[in-house]
Amino acid sequence: MNSWNKGINWLLDWILRDLKWLGFLLLYLIDSVFLTLATQQASHGSSPNRAIGMMLIYSGLLLGFITWRYQKQLQQNNPRNFGRTPFTGKTVSQLIGFFILMLTIQYSWSILIATHILPSPANQTAINQQVTQLPFWNLAYAILLAPIFEELIFRGIFLNYFFSKNTRLMNFLGIFISGIIFGFMHVSSFTPTLIMYSALGWVLGYSYLHFRDVRYDMTLHFLNNALSLI
């Protein structure tokens, strides 16, 4: 009977964690709706200022809330000792190594697209179109805000909710599954393009566990998005 109750409690707790994490994801997606609305208004010759103002207010509140929740998670359960790893010559050189790995993935991907082995990602095409319609705000969001939100949600909060135990198996599964979900957020189908996006997510996941500091992941994500868009 006790084992049955424990199983039920574990299932309910897992469902609750799922709902909470999906809630963070939904809040982030709502933020992008404001930017899409502003872009549509600009493309139709209307002033996007009101939508941009709403986006900035919402983004600020959301960033404060997600950051606070992430810190609360670490205070409650932090077996991997996530926190602040000082930037030193060694860690910066390692960060450059991770970025070179991401560059290699991006370069290999571009070759596959240029040789028509893989199609150009629809997600990237849509972002490029939005950038041409409302350049400054779309670039600022994609390069500066999106990496912060996505690293806190897909690496920080996700791993703390579902793979908090510091074992080789949990670390591997956490990196693998978070990378796959990250890929699905960019392409919602089982295609080779999903693997390419997931590979970038796997590098970011491994980087997070390696440095034990989400700021390193945000930096990598900044650089990756800037390279893709600029």
Side-chain angles (χ1 to χ4, degrees):
M1 192 67 177
N2 287 335
S3 60
W4 173 258
N5 289 335
K6 288 180 180 179
I8 293 296
N9 290 335
W10 179 89
L11 178 61
L12 292 175
D13 179 64
W14 185 81
I15 292 174
L16 181 61
R17 281 178 284 147
D18 277 344
L19 293 175
K20 286 182 178 179
W21 187 82
L22 290 173
F24 287 114
L25 186 59
L26 178 61
L27 291 174
Y28 169 52
L29 294 177
I30 290 173
D31 193 34
S32 65
V33 170
F34 290 116
L35 181 59
T36 300
L37 178 60
T39 303
Q40 290 174 347
Q41 290 176 349
S43 65
H44 294 150
S46 303
S47 174
N49 291 342
R50 180 174 296 181
I52 290 172
M54 293 172 63
M55 180 197 74
L56 292 175
I57 294 171
Y58 184 88
S59 295
L61 293 172
L62 181 60
L63 181 59
F65 172 66
I66 291 181
T67 302
W68 168 79
R69 191 65 192 91
Y70 173 66
Q71 293 297 332
K72 288 291 288 183
Q73 278 189 321
L74 295 185
Q75 291 173 9
Q76 294 169 0
N77 184 32
N78 187 15
R80 296 188 183 94
N81 296 316
F82 291 120
R84 291 187 176 273
T85 301
F87 286 90
T88 63
K90 180 179 180 180
T91 60
V92 170
S93 64
Q94 291 173 343
L95 187 67
I96 292 172
F98 278 103
F99 182 55
I100 291 173
L101 179 56
M102 296 186 78
L103 283 179
T104 302
I105 295 171
Q106 291 276 29
Y107 182 67
S108 303
W109 195 354
S110 65
I111 292 176
L112 293 174
I113 292 172
T115 54
H116 306 291
I117 296 175
L118 290 180
S120 181
N123 174 74
Q124 189 64 43
T125 301
I127 292 175
N128 291 341
Q129 290 175 347
Q130 290 181 337
V131 168
T132 61
Q133 294 166 349
L134 192 64
F136 177 79
W137 291 108
N138 276 283
L139 283 173
Y141 192 92
I143 295 174
L144 298 176
L145 280 178
I148 297 175
F149 287 130
E150 292 182 7
E151 291 313 309
L152 287 172
I153 293 171
F154 286 99
R155 252 63 65 177
I157 292 175
F158 181 85
L159 290 178
N160 288 346
Y161 267 157
F162 303 107
F163 299 95
S164 60
K165 291 184 179 180
N166 189 22
T167 66
R168 288 186 178 182
L169 178 61
M170 288 296 102
N171 290 341
F172 171 79
L173 289 175
I175 292 171
F176 181 77
I177 295 175
S178 66
I180 292 291
I181 296 175
F182 180 75
F184 265 114
M185 281 298 300
H186 294 83
V187 52
S188 56
S189 58
F190 288 99
T191 64
T193 301
L194 171 66
I195 300 301
M196 303 307 295
Y197 274 118
S198 297
L200 295 173
W202 293 330
V203 174
L204 290 166
Y206 184 74
S207 167
Y208 180 55
L209 294 184
H210 176 76
F211 291 110
R212 300 290 200 270
D213 187 339
V214 74
R215 294 177 303 165
Y216 284 84
D217 264 37
M218 291 175 182
T219 302
L220 283 175
H221 209 143
F222 290 151
L223 295 172
N224 180 74
N225 285 12
L227 176 69
S228 299
L229 291 169
I230 298 178

